[in-house]
Amino acid sequence: MNSNSPNNSCYHCGSFILPGDSYGLELGGIPRKFCCAGCMAIAQTIHGEGLEVFYARRAQSSDKPAAYLASNEIPESLAPYDDLSLLGRYTRPSVEDGNLETTLRLEKIRCAACVWLCEQHLRRIPGVKDVQINYVSQKVKVDFSPEQTSLARLLFEVERIGYEAWPFEPSLSIEKSKKERRQLLTRLGVAMLGMMQVMMYAWPSYVGDSDITAEYDLLLGWTSWVLTVPVMVYSAGPIFQAAWRSVASFRQTHMLGMDVPIALALALAFFAGTVNLATGSGQGYFDSITMFVAFILAARYVELLARQDAQGGAEALAKQLPATCERVPNYPSSQQVEIVPVVNCNPGEVLRISPGDVVPADGVLIEYESALDESLLTGESKPIDKKIGDRVYAGTHNILNPLLMRIDAVGQSTRIAGIASLLDQALQAKPLMVSLAEKWAGYFVGFLLLSAFLSSAIWMYVDSSKAWTVLVSVLVASCPCALSLAVPTAMAAAQGAVTKLGLLIVRGHVLEGLVKATDLVLDKTGTLTMGQPELKEVVIARPEFSRADALSLAASMEAGQKHPLALSLLRAAEADNLSLATLSDPITNQLGRGLSSGVYRLGSAAWVGAQQIKQEGQYGQVHLGDDKGLIASFIFLDTPRAGLETLLAAAKSRKIAVHLVSGDDPATVAWWAHEVGIHSFQGACSPEDKYHYIERLQKEGHFVWAIGDGINDAPLLARADISIAVGAGAPLATAGADAILTASSLAPLAKSLLLADKTQLIIKENLIWALVYNLLAIPAAMMGWVNPWVAGIGMSLSSLAVTLNAWRLRKA
């Protein structure tokens, strides 16, 4: 509210000030009046930070804030959020060391000005490093230093400017989705009922029934009017609200939303129908209005289902988190369980997960081995065997045996919450094609309004009885709903599909970039290969020892060791079903050399007294010997990542040049390049060398797609036009890449290439359909060949067509 507001209205909330309840304060040199201390405190805070422009652009509120906001003290109701157990639930480590990140759900957000005020105010709080608000989901992601501010302070500061914020729990997101669907479905139901009844009353006029008397005709007309009112007020209410917001913000955006012509057409048709009914002349239009609203809400309901389904993957997984779980309060003395709400569980507590149940939190398996389905989290379709000490993640399904786990992360600290946060970030970043489509749709609305009023004015001279009908028909028939939905629905559906494959898109340009990619740059260790050695060959030096004898003896010495080569020996012995040899002497670890047990030695060539075996591409080797000399040499090779062959074949089919750059020695890199069929390679590369390698390609006009492990490949990922980090756990939070491959296989990237092509094709189909429809509909409506209700059906079916076409990407 501005300075010329009435003296009896509150400057902040606009409500009427009761006699004796007035609070006065001078702000910006102008005396202001308030209805309560809370409003006065909020206005003082806003002006104190130089954010008073908010009052010129906001939507009005009549909510009265609490009086305690006048104080700077955090209220007792918010203080528990600084407790360490709750802090662990509602925050997660940030990319910047020592900082925390939290996602808050904002309440009472009414318009873009509210978003602007919240963001500006939070950024001014000492310790807040970054603020990102998603207006659609009404969530805010805050990066802050726990040494300078706190979670409770963030919640209180949002409240101090007139809003509410609560820590967001991913498992509760289903409630918002359900509520949104339920509200839209209810509005659609009211519109459908109104349409059926009004169409029934309008039937005599369709068939030209002359037996209806004037009194009955008038009664049917006013009954139709009564039935149309709730459709206009309730069912079409959000359309009018969106249109009003678009008009109100026109001075800032210089564009009008697609709801503006719809609202204008509905308002004009209802006004004209009411006037005609009252004067007893002309059409009623109520059948057209109700049918139009019903059809457009039906199209939007399908669009909503597609949008919510497109969130897929991690968001869908978050919705599956159980509300209750089985806690073991007296472990290990007793394994008696109690049923408790998941929100009451804390790190350190022990849970029992029965077969078929969903794991409610992140933790470590402490008893009973099992197998878990992590497909929606990682894209891996096979169940993952879990042993004692292995990590288990919230949202995964226990398949085999009942297990006991100790919680180490709940709420926003869980891996699934981190993925959901990245999805929010992806939704905030609009791809270029979406931005362009929205921009042109906004300009098209202006063209549409001009065409509608111009054609109506021409018809006033030609045939004034058709002017009003033509105006409404043009507004309805040529609404750019299909045009504005053509790109975003396809992109949303495609992003949902690749998320389910195991590729988490963080920035919106990835799918567009995959279509344009000319070069693919791969790192070796951790990307092209797994970085996990496998026993490739056993070279026996003495005939009295067989391969099984040597491997059994070496595995016995490595039992309990955690070195990658030791684990590889143990896996090889287990794969051959070998029983470990019994050693009479204890095993001693000689640092930097190897292991010894009595006369046996296992380790480096120098330690055992053997010759190093030269073999290209090897990961490493160990040697086994005794007091008589060398027994056997074990040669290890890194394992290629699953799906590599599929990815390289897909790149070759698209004529994408593949490059291998690695910090490994040139001979090893060359061997791997020849092994997998890559012709361009470079070894012994520092992170800076990788950066410059991509820079050279880009200077030659190439569009570079890079894949790295997300940790030591930061420069490589930062320089590339599209970057994908391979990894799970820590890399999810630190990669900073455009997309993250959560699956262990590279096959999803090959599928994503095909999906990117299919997405481009569907976008083109949608745009062509929307363009052809408008080129046909606008002239037909301007010529007076289309009635408003026919125009409404055509526009709704057009929107429905592009949504369903985009929905096909879900099956990719």
Side-chain angles (χ1 to χ4, degrees):
M1 188 177 297
N2 42 38
S3 59
N4 58 3
S5 301
N7 291 332
N8 59 347
S9 295
C10 176
Y11 172 67
H12 175 71
C13 72
S15 59
F16 184 76
I17 301 177
L18 297 173
D21 286 348
S22 178
Y23 290 76
L25 184 69
E26 187 173 293
L27 294 174
I30 302 173
R32 307 289 188 185
K33 288 190 175 182
F34 305 92
C35 64
C36 63
C39 280
M40 184 172 70
I42 291 172
Q44 197 168 9
T45 300
I46 293 172
H47 273 264
E49 295 186 1
L51 302 175
E52 61 272 11
V53 69
F54 162 74
Y55 288 106
R57 56 165 74 175
R58 63 165 181 171
Q60 291 295 336
S61 163
S62 59
D63 295 331
K64 292 191 177 185
Y68 68 78
L69 298 176
S71 166
N72 197 37
E73 295 294 323
I74 297 175
E76 291 183 5
S77 60
L78 296 179
Y81 286 103
D82 284 341
D83 184 87
L84 289 179
S85 62
L86 282 182
L87 192 67
R89 175 186 296 277
Y90 296 127
T91 62
R92 53 193 174 273
S94 174
V95 175
E96 190 174 332
D97 289 342
N99 285 355
L100 294 176
E101 194 178 87
T102 185
T103 301
L104 307 178
R105 175 68 189 274
L106 295 174
E107 302 286 348
K108 300 182 181 179
I109 295 293
R110 299 172 189 86
C111 59
C114 301
V115 173
W116 176 83
L117 178 63
C118 287
E119 184 173 347
Q120 296 300 318
H121 179 63
L122 287 173
R123 286 186 185 277
R124 284 167 164 77
I125 299 172
V128 172
K129 307 300 181 184
D130 187 36
V131 179
Q132 295 180 22
I133 297 180
N134 187 326
Y135 176 56
V136 176
S137 62
Q138 295 194 342
K139 285 189 285 187
V140 54
K141 187 168 75 172
V142 185
D143 192 330
F144 67 98
S145 168
E147 296 177 357
Q148 296 178 271
T149 189
S150 67
L151 180 59
R153 169 59 63 183
L154 295 176
L155 299 176
F156 179 60
E157 289 298 333
V158 172
E159 202 172 341
R160 282 184 70 190
I161 53 173
Y163 304 95
E164 290 181 8
W166 305 104
F168 172 72
E169 287 272 22
S171 58
L172 300 179
S173 61
I174 187 173
E175 295 303 321
K176 179 179 181 294
S177 299
K178 281 184 176 178
K179 182 180 179 182
E180 193 175 4
R181 288 198 304 270
R182 189 166 53 245
Q183 287 181 340
L184 184 51
L185 199 56
T186 305
R187 294 182 194 278
L188 174 59
V190 171
M192 293 290 287
L193 286 172
M195 178 190 76
M196 288 188 291
Q197 289 297 318
V198 173
M199 291 293 289
M200 184 176 69
Y201 295 147
W203 183 253
S205 63
Y206 293 154
V207 298
D209 193 343
S210 58
D211 294 336
I212 298 291
T213 63
E215 291 81 4
Y216 277 110
D217 192 42
L218 186 62
L219 177 62
L220 291 175
W222 281 109
T223 306
S224 298
W225 183 88
V226 170
L227 291 168
T228 304
V229 169
V231 175
M232 287 286 290
V233 174
Y234 177 70
S235 297
I239 296 174
F240 286 104
Q241 292 170 5
W244 175 250
R245 284 195 297 267
S246 179
V247 172
S249 62
F250 179 75
R251 291 180 64 182
Q252 288 80 30
T253 63
H254 304 294
M255 287 190 294
L256 294 173
M258 64 182 178
D259 282 325
V260 173
I262 297 176
L264 188 58
L266 287 172
L268 291 174
F270 185 75
F271 174 75
T274 304
V275 171
N276 290 345
L277 182 63
T279 58
S281 61
Q283 277 186 269
Y285 298 115
F286 304 123
D287 51 343
S288 300
I289 292 170
T290 52
M291 183 180 291
F292 176 47
V293 173
F295 270 91
I296 194 171
L297 291 184
R300 291 188 177 187
Y301 184 70
V302 173
E303 179 206 344
L304 175 66
L305 293 179
R307 177 160 49 86
Q308 291 185 351
D309 180 80
Q311 293 174 348
E315 196 68 25
L317 191 61
K319 294 174 184 177
Q320 295 183 34
L321 294 182
T324 60
C325 61
E326 296 180 343
R327 184 168 62 187
V328 188
N330 300 317
Y331 182 84
S333 59
S334 168
Q335 292 195 8
Q336 189 71 29
V337 301
E338 60 181 5
I339 307 297
V340 296
V342 172
V343 293
N344 292 344
C345 295
N346 296 300
E349 294 179 343
V350 175
L351 303 181
R352 181 184 186 274
I353 313 298
S354 300
D357 285 354
V358 177
V359 179
D362 287 3
V364 177
L365 183 62
I366 58 173
E367 259 194 69
Y368 312 120
E369 297 180 354
S370 187
L372 274 71
D373 179 1
E374 298 183 346
S375 57
L376 286 179
L377 191 65
T378 66
E380 175 59 56
S381 58
K382 295 179 181 178
I384 308 298
D385 292 331
K386 296 290 182 178
K387 298 179 180 179
I388 306 301
D390 287 351
R391 287 193 59 77
V392 293
Y393 297 102
T396 57
H397 289 257
N398 184 23
I399 295 175
L400 202 56
N401 303 315
L403 61 87
L404 293 181
M405 61 168 286
R406 178 170 279 111
I407 300 174
D408 64 8
V410 291
Q412 290 193 29
S413 298
T414 59
R415 185 179 174 200
I416 190 65
I419 292 176
S421 173
L422 288 174
L423 283 175
D424 280 340
Q425 184 177 334
L427 292 172
Q428 288 172 16
K430 286 185 180 178
L432 178 62
M433 291 187 69
V434 174
S435 301
L436 287 175
E438 290 181 351
K439 179 181 177 181
W440 285 109
Y443 291 142
F444 185 77
V445 170
F447 167 74
L448 164 63
L449 294 174
L450 183 63
S451 301
F453 285 104
L454 185 61
S455 57
S456 179
I458 294 173
W459 275 100
M460 284 293 293
Y461 290 98
V462 178
D463 184 354
S464 59
S465 64
K466 285 189 174 183
W468 198 264
T469 304
V470 168
L471 175 62
V472 175
S473 297
V474 173
L475 287 172
V476 171
S478 52
C479 174
C481 294
L483 180 63
S484 60
L485 291 174
V487 179
T489 51
M491 295 299 292
Q495 288 196 13
V498 296
T499 301
K500 292 174 184 176
L501 290 174
L503 180 66
L504 182 63
I505 292 179
V506 179
R507 295 179 180 87
H509 69 282
V510 171
L511 287 174
E512 295 175 47
L514 287 177
V515 177
K516 297 188 288 184
T518 60
D519 291 73
L520 169 59
V521 177
L522 291 167
D523 175 47
K524 187 186 82 66
T525 305
T527 304
L528 183 136
T529 63
M530 296 292 290
Q532 296 176 355
E534 290 296 332
L535 182 61
K536 188 71 176 176
E537 187 179 356
V538 181
V539 180
I540 302 298
R542 285 153 53 185
E544 63 266 30
F545 284 91
S546 66
R547 181 185 187 278
D549 294 335
L551 183 56
S552 175
L553 184 57
S556 301
M557 296 183 70
E558 294 284 16
Q561 300 296 319
K562 298 299 183 184
H563 189 277
L565 297 182
L567 296 175
S568 179
L569 280 171
L570 291 167
R571 283 197 301 270
E574 184 180 356
D576 289 354
N577 294 316
L578 298 178
S579 56
L580 300 184
T582 304
L583 300 172
S584 55
D585 297 298
I587 298 169
T588 305
N589 193 334
Q590 303 286 336
L591 190 64
R593 296 179 177 182
L595 304 172
S596 64
S597 175
V599 298
Y600 296 111
R601 291 184 179 184
L602 180 68
S604 65
W607 165 240
V608 176
Q611 289 292 324
Q612 187 82 2
I613 299 174
K614 291 186 177 181
Q615 186 171 356
E616 291 184 333
Q618 64 173 291
Y619 183 96
Q621 53 186 265
V622 294
H623 306 271
L624 175 66
D626 58 11
D627 54 353
K628 295 178 183 178
L630 181 67
I631 296 173
S633 298
F634 302 91
I635 299 172
F636 300 87
L637 196 66
D638 205 346
T639 50
R641 186 173 286 274
L644 174 63
E645 194 175 323
T646 306
L647 174 61
L648 294 179
K652 184 178 179 181
S653 68
R654 296 167 58 90
K655 297 187 171 143
I656 296 175
V658 183
H659 309 258
L660 178 62
V661 293
S662 173
D664 284 2
D665 67 273
T668 301
V669 174
W671 185 88
W672 271 103
H674 290 127
E675 179 75 7
V676 300
I678 297 175
H679 304 296
S680 301
F681 54 88
Q682 184 174 322
C685 292
S686 66
E688 292 78 12
D689 292 334
K690 295 179 182 181
Y691 182 94
H692 294 309
Y693 190 97
I694 290 183
E695 191 175 41
R696 283 196 302 273
L697 289 174
Q698 290 172 328
K699 285 180 179 177
E700 293 169 7
H702 299 274
F703 194 92
V704 181
W705 166 25
I707 306 175
D709 63 15
I711 299 173
N712 56 13
D713 291 320
L716 173 89
L717 298 175
R719 180 67 202 186
D721 298 295
I722 316 167
S723 57
I724 295 178
V726 178
L732 281 174
T734 60
D738 299 324
I740 297 167
L741 182 67
T742 58
S744 59
S745 170
L746 294 174
L749 298 182
K751 294 179 181 177
S752 297
L753 277 171
L754 298 175
L755 191 65
D757 285 338
K758 190 174 179 181
T759 302
Q760 292 297 310
L761 178 62
I762 284 182
I763 286 173
K764 288 177 182 175
E765 291 173 354
N766 281 354
L767 289 173
I768 290 171
W769 165 253
L771 185 63
V772 169
Y773 166 76
N774 280 288
L775 287 175
L776 294 175
I778 292 178
M782 293 176 72
M783 295 297 292
W785 296 340
V786 179
N787 290 325
W789 69 272
V790 175
I793 293 175
M795 190 275 292
S796 301
L797 290 178
S798 175
S799 302
L800 193 60
V802 297
T803 302
L804 292 176
N805 192 36
W807 213 355
R808 292 191 296 132
L809 290 167
R810 295 166 58 248
K811 307 297 182 183

